[in-house]
Amino acid sequence: MVTKRIRVAAWAMLIAQSVIIVSGGIVRLTGSGLGCTDWPKCTPDSLVTTPEMGIHGLIEFGNRTLAVALAMLGVVIFFMLWKHRKQRRDLFWLNLGLLAIVPVQAIVGGITVWTKLNPWVVAGHFVPSAIAVGVAAYFVRRTYDTGVRTAEKAPSPLPALGWTILGLTAIVVIFGVLTTGAGPHSGSTMSTRNGLDNIWITRAHAAPVWLLVIATISSLVLAVKKHTVMVRPLVVLLIIEVLQGIIGYVQYFTGVPIVLVAFHMIGISATIAASVAVLDSAYPRSTHHADTDHAVPVVH
């Protein structure tokens, strides 16, 4: 049974996962990475931030508080789906997977603090969040159907191109993290950079971005010719890619200003979600009763 409440909760989860990414970015961009000097406490003597820690303590502790709120949302959705766990095992296990990422992120976050924001650990801290956004996007899409795969799929080679787009998105994310680790916003004056040449890693980051754009345009042209449902998600993805590209190039040539970097992080969450939507649209599912509050067929 997919109710409107469950669908709204799924959207809330996707938004919350994206907000966590932006919040973590703000921590780094404002130099608040060590605003809380310890973990799991904020300081060795206090669970929460103290007035002596100033604005940086508030920003870092605020990010931790958002993570707790995200976990609570996952628990709420868990109980919402509990009675539907047999009919919609897909939704139940997707949410459980998202819940499982929270403690992983918390532990990696603690290691990040203990290592004084080692850039490689910081990179590892971002990856689970990126995966969570993708899973949350898939979770949202499943609330609009019965979860039952149909025998149909998009005409060849669109499914393969969908996988290519998702793979390129993953590569873009990885190179983006490495570029960030070589850039000026380290999160704290105490932390080091990853030692990669900033110019060359930026160029390496741009290469899969251009490949992603080419793959998206090629897929869109084919989808339009074959009149498939992939057209809309591909258009959305292409718009996001263009905006991301503009922001990326402008921030590079203007010295990586904080505001543009923050918008770029919003864009990467949107890119991940849109890429998942493109691939998923290549494999249609039954939508009978998906938009009602009635029971749907059991997924075997």
Side-chain angles (χ1 to χ4, degrees):
M1 176 184 292
V2 177
T3 66
K4 291 181 180 179
R5 285 194 310 154
I6 292 174
R7 189 172 301 133
V8 170
W11 273 106
M13 175 61 76
L14 175 57
I15 293 170
Q17 295 289 357
S18 302
V19 168
I20 281 291
I21 286 181
V22 177
S23 173
I26 291 174
V27 169
R28 178 174 56 83
L29 293 168
T30 58
S32 304
L34 294 175
C36 285
T37 57
D38 201 4
W39 187 91
K41 292 183 176 181
C42 194
T43 73
D45 302 316
S46 176
L47 179 64
V48 301
T49 184
T50 62
E52 293 77 18
M53 302 179 74
I55 186 65
H56 293 308
L58 287 172
I59 293 173
E60 165 62 9
F61 187 73
N63 183 57
R64 296 187 183 188
T65 303
L66 284 174
V68 173
L70 177 62
M72 293 174 63
L73 174 61
V75 171
V76 170
I77 297 175
F78 175 86
F79 285 111
M80 291 174 66
L81 290 170
W82 179 254
K83 65 179 180 180
H84 309 300
R85 66 190 184 281
K86 293 183 179 180
Q87 290 83 10
R88 293 305 304 264
R89 287 195 292 268
D90 55 340
L91 297 181
F92 182 78
W93 286 104
L94 282 169
N95 181 65
L96 206 60
L98 289 168
L99 257 178
I101 291 176
V102 175
V104 172
Q105 276 292 69
I107 293 171
V108 177
I111 296 173
T112 301
V113 173
W114 293 338
T115 59
K116 306 301 180 185
L117 306 187
N118 180 291
W120 299 103
V121 180
V122 172
H125 191 39
F126 180 84
V127 172
S129 290
I131 293 172
V133 168
V135 175
Y138 187 74
F139 182 34
V140 168
R141 286 186 63 85
R142 291 289 65 77
T143 64
Y144 285 89
D145 57 44
T146 66
V148 179
R149 283 276 300 274
T150 65
E152 299 179 358
K153 65 178 181 179
S156 181
L158 285 170
L161 284 169
W163 283 106
T164 300
I165 285 171
L166 187 63
L168 286 170
T169 299
I171 295 172
V172 167
V173 169
I174 292 171
F175 274 95
V177 170
L178 295 177
T179 303
T180 297
H185 303 296
S186 63
S188 171
T189 55
M190 296 177 62
S191 61
T192 59
R193 312 313 293 133
N194 60 25
L196 298 175
D197 184 271
N198 194 33
I199 294 177
W200 283 105
I201 192 61
T202 300
R203 291 175 179 173
H205 175 46
V209 170
W210 279 109
L211 290 175
L212 177 59
V213 172
I214 292 171
T216 303
I217 293 174
S218 301
S219 299
L220 180 57
V221 170
L222 286 172
V224 170
K225 286 184 177 180
K226 297 176 182 293
H227 305 287
T228 75
V229 295
M230 292 181 69
V231 172
R232 179 176 294 181
L234 281 165
V235 168
V236 172
L237 176 60
L238 183 59
I239 291 172
I240 293 170
E241 289 169 355
V242 171
L243 292 175
Q244 271 290 80
I246 293 172
I247 294 172
Y249 276 104
V250 171
Q251 74 174 11
Y252 177 75
F253 289 111
T254 56
V256 201
I258 290 176
V259 174
L260 286 181
V261 175
F263 276 108
H264 202 52
M265 297 195 73
I266 295 172
I268 194 59
S269 293
T271 302
I272 294 169
S275 296
V276 168
V278 165
L279 176 58
D280 186 54
S281 66
Y283 300 91
R285 284 172 171 77
S286 169
T287 57
H288 182 59
H289 294 321
D291 294 324
T292 72
D293 291 346
H294 299 95
V296 299
V298 176
V299 181
H300 294 286

